[in-house]
Amino acid sequence: MKGIGVSPGISIGRAFVIKKTEPALTGILLKNEAEILLEIERFDLAVSHAADEIESIKANTVLQDEELSLLETQIELLTDPQIKADVIEKIESDKKNANDALIEVIGNFVQLFENMDDEYMRARSADIKDIGSRILNHLDGQGQGKVNTYKFAPDTIVIAEDISPSDTLTMDIKHVTGFATQAGSKTSHTTIIAKSKGIPAVVSCGNALATVVNNDVVILDAINGIVYINPSQEIIDDYTIKRAAYRERTDKLKALKDVLAITRDGKRITLSANISGADDMEDVFYNGGDGVGLLRTELLFMDRDSFPTEDEQFEFYKSIALRSKNKPVIVRTIDIGGDKHLPYFNLPAELNPFLGYRAIRICLDRKDLFITQLKAILRASVFGDLKIMFPMISNVQEIKSAKSIVAEAKAELLNDNIVFNADIKIGIMIEIPSAAITADILAQEVDFFSIGTNDLCQYTLAVDRMNEKISHLYDPFNPGVLRLINNVIEQGHKHNIHVGMCGEMASDPIATLLLLGMGLNDFSMNAASIPTIKNIIVNNSITKARNIYKNVMEMNSSEKIIAYLQEAAQ
Ligand code: PEP
Ligand code: MG
């Protein structure tokens, strides 16, 4: 079965299937005022018992951050005045008993959340369902029960339609080595808890999972999102070897999660993540990231029929700021054009789209679009440490023009008495050779650089990054590309500005020591690569990296450079 691997790892074990029955309506109506009052009292009592129960879990369990925030969400929902008002309304006006009233109200709320666009909010419907069953259990006089009383045998893989927040908290998971669920998403509770406990999980496996029965042999490949049921001995043997290798590797990396990326000779390096939405924030912190080095805002503009409004954009940036724990988040203004098309924005066909009307060039031409995005980012800047970054800058005039539009956006907000961070930092991507060569000039205009090696490499080498036929020529270790990168870092630091890298090269383990040797101290990459790069940083020194850098800069071909770096990485 194919699902989504959300908490990586490999497990081999026996299935324990959790089947949940949906609460059934009784249809019993209340007869008189006295029964109505009694029913409201019974509901209030059940809510207060449910609250006591959560408090007692909080007091008696050692909880991780994620688990604590899960319980806090539950307490918030328990005291939600709307849920309470709706239930009482159904008891009073429709004469429903408390069980039926609650089931209906929770059903409505669940539906409301399940229809939301935001994946994170959709996943919150599980919280509401869960709080509903918690109150219902108390209404029935049973208290919370069932799942936390399960006894799991060693090497159990829990199979379920979905696992509720309370179940993940209260079940005795000492022997649980994996979760596979029919439903779920990257931000559902099974995911959050499985990740925080380091238990492999595959979610969204679909209905096929319903055929699994207790004690089936299960292999969970949560790296590739695959679940095997009763596989052959050959597959089991193969995965036994893979599991051992994976465990050895990850045990080493896991230990680094809360360790700062500091080299052996004491240099602190920042390791941030490249993300494209609020849902990715969980992965940043799960992997021990220091913030967001690149928020690609294009996703917000895709999969829709028209440009997002200022308010819609504001909500998007705000939700990311709120989840950023006040760590820096670099928001890159829209980088459409090239290979990124918007169906509702009719761009004329171009002979060379990668050299054409794209990114900052569109923004400077279509000031209306640009200023809308800038105002939205500025408004969200009071909710976190947001910074603005312009893509595809090729000369100093573009920076000046873009900055003057930022000033206009600020003036409009000021005029409307809307708060924003007046001191917001402004930087640029260095991804066009002319920008890399003139880094000394551009550095005087901005607060930071971020090197985009994906484009820098394609433009320097004249190799289309999308063209399979010439992919062997796409080579970030070409001495020409390396000299440009080196110049950017050198000039940036000479002018006292931050220099980071957010292109794919930042996550290439072969490149880490070379970049450290060049003086790069800010790497941004897909969140999952952070532990691997951190491992290299904490086990090496700047002195060694400087040496490697000096040797590399004297080499005349990328073959030699790559062979040398591969050996140095051993
Ligand atoms: C880059 O060009 O290196 C970069 C990070 O931007 P993108 O891949 O979005 O073009
Ligand atoms: Mg780019």
Side-chain angles (χ1 to χ4, degrees), residues 71-282:
L71 287 176
E72 260 137 33
T73 310
Q74 295 228 336
I75 290 176
E76 245 171 65
L77 287 171
L78 260 185
T79 49
D80 184 280
Q82 194 59 51
I83 295 182
K84 184 174 169 158
D86 287 3
V87 170
I88 291 181
E89 154 100 24
K90 279 190 189 293
I91 297 175
E92 283 179 338
S93 310
D94 304 346
K95 312 255 179 308
K96 306 241 165 163
N97 66 61
N99 296 51
D100 288 3
L102 180 68
I103 292 170
E104 285 184 13
V105 170
I106 293 296
N108 293 342
F109 272 91
V110 165
Q111 213 167 31
L112 189 79
F113 274 73
E114 277 177 351
N115 288 331
M116 288 187 176
D117 284 340
D118 185 282
E119 187 190 335
Y120 178 81
M121 294 309 282
R122 270 202 309 278
R124 300 289 69 76
S125 63
D127 287 294
I128 298 173
K129 230 188 242 177
D130 195 38
I131 205 67
S133 357
R134 198 184 281 277
I135 304 173
L136 213 55
N137 279 332
H138 285 282
L139 272 175
D140 292 340
Q142 295 172 355
Q144 181 74 4
K146 306 182 187 91
V147 167
N148 55 345
T149 60
Y150 290 151
K151 288 272 168 282
F152 298 118
D155 287 333
T156 291
I157 294 179
V158 173
I159 308 280
E161 190 195 329
D162 201 358
I163 300 171
S164 75
S166 319
D167 292 350
T168 45
L169 270 178
T170 53
M171 69 168 61
D172 177 17
I173 58 165
K174 195 166 60 259
H175 295 312
V176 175
T177 51
F179 291 107
T181 60
Q182 288 180 44
S185 67
K186 269 168 76 181
T187 49
S188 61
H189 285 101
T190 317
T191 304
I192 295 170
I193 300 301
K195 271 178 155 183
S196 75
K197 298 203 183 294
I199 299 175
V202 180
V203 302
S204 199
C205 297
N207 292 340
L209 204 64
T211 57
V212 180
V213 296
N214 280 340
N215 287 322
D216 274 351
V217 173
V218 180
I219 294 180
L220 207 64
D221 173 352
I223 304 165
N224 299 302
I226 304 170
V227 183
Y228 296 86
I229 308 298
N230 297 323
S232 66
Q233 192 56 46
E234 203 182 325
I235 297 182
I236 296 177
D237 292 346
D238 183 32
Y239 266 100
T240 307
I241 296 168
K242 280 187 182 156
R243 181 179 60 179
Y246 181 82
R247 278 187 185 162
E248 196 185 309
R249 205 168 60 237
T250 48
D251 281 354
K252 263 197 222 150
L253 297 182
K254 249 187 231 152
L256 288 174
K257 183 184 167 205
D258 298 318
V259 170
L260 293 178
I262 299 176
T263 61
R264 284 201 167 148
D265 43 2
K267 179 145 188 203
R268 168 80 162 103
I269 306 297
T270 310
L271 297 181
S272 315
N274 297 350
I275 67 166
S276 34
D279 293 338
D280 300 335
M281 284 311 293
E282 311 263 352

Side-chain angles (χ1 to χ4, degrees), residues 206-429:
N207 292 340
L209 204 64
T211 57
V212 180
V213 296
N214 280 340
N215 287 322
D216 274 351
V217 173
V218 180
I219 294 180
L220 207 64
D221 173 352
I223 304 165
N224 299 302
I226 304 170
V227 183
Y228 296 86
I229 308 298
N230 297 323
S232 66
Q233 192 56 46
E234 203 182 325
I235 297 182
I236 296 177
D237 292 346
D238 183 32
Y239 266 100
T240 307
I241 296 168
K242 280 187 182 156
R243 181 179 60 179
Y246 181 82
R247 278 187 185 162
E248 196 185 309
R249 205 168 60 237
T250 48
D251 281 354
K252 263 197 222 150
L253 297 182
K254 249 187 231 152
L256 288 174
K257 183 184 167 205
D258 298 318
V259 170
L260 293 178
I262 299 176
T263 61
R264 284 201 167 148
D265 43 2
K267 179 145 188 203
R268 168 80 162 103
I269 306 297
T270 310
L271 297 181
S272 315
N274 297 350
I275 67 166
S276 34
D279 293 338
D280 300 335
M281 284 311 293
E282 311 263 352
D283 286 343
V284 180
F285 297 117
Y286 174 69
N287 286 292
D290 291 309
V292 174
L294 169 64
L295 165 61
R296 289 184 165 100
T297 57
E298 293 78 58
L299 195 73
L300 169 67
F301 290 72
M302 290 172 172
D303 265 348
R304 45 183 303 138
D305 308 321
S306 58
F307 279 104
T309 62
E310 184 186 312
D311 279 346
E312 279 174 306
Q313 292 195 48
F314 164 67
E315 290 300 335
F316 176 81
Y317 307 130
K318 180 181 159 189
S319 69
I320 290 166
L322 287 176
R323 286 189 219 172
S324 67
K325 305 187 181 173
N326 261 322
K327 297 275 169 73
V329 175
I330 299 182
V331 185
R332 181 176 74 181
T333 57
I334 189 156
D335 186 14
I336 41 173
D339 59 323
K340 299 167 192 151
H341 297 291
L342 305 181
Y344 52 89
F345 188 42
N346 282 330
L347 294 175
E350 294 176 299
L351 224 46
N352 290 303
F354 271 114
L355 304 180
Y357 189 60
R358 62 173 292 202
I360 195 71
R361 301 167 182 183
I362 296 180
C363 288
L364 296 180
D365 184 45
R366 288 290 306 268
K367 202 168 125 186
D368 54 327
L369 301 178
F370 196 32
I371 212 158
T372 305
Q373 182 173 34
L374 291 172
K375 281 168 75 177
I377 301 170
L378 283 165
R379 282 169 59 193
S381 67
V382 292
F383 297 96
D385 183 11
L386 302 189
K387 302 170 200 282
I388 298 176
M389 176 159 76
F390 306 129
M392 294 290 294
I393 292 289
S394 66
N395 63 50
V396 74
Q397 191 48 46
E398 285 168 340
I399 305 177
K400 287 187 175 160
S401 306
K403 277 179 23 183
S404 86
I405 301 176
V406 173
E408 270 182 61
K410 285 182 177 176
E412 284 185 25
L413 292 176
L414 214 53
N415 201 32
D416 293 337
N417 283 325
I418 297 173
V419 284
F420 60 91
N421 172 14
D423 198 29
I424 195 162
K425 299 284 178 259
I426 292 185
I428 55 169
M429 301 256 327

Side-chain angles (χ1 to χ4, degrees), residues 477 505-515 532-533 536 548 552 561-570:
F477 294 98
M505 195 180 192
S507 63
D508 183 348
I510 300 297
T512 312
L513 290 178
L514 169 62
L515 295 170
T532 305
I533 301 301
I536 298 173
I548 288 173
V552 165
I561 294 171
I562 292 170
Y564 171 72
L565 289 175
Q566 269 167 345
E567 206 183 306
Q570 295 304 314

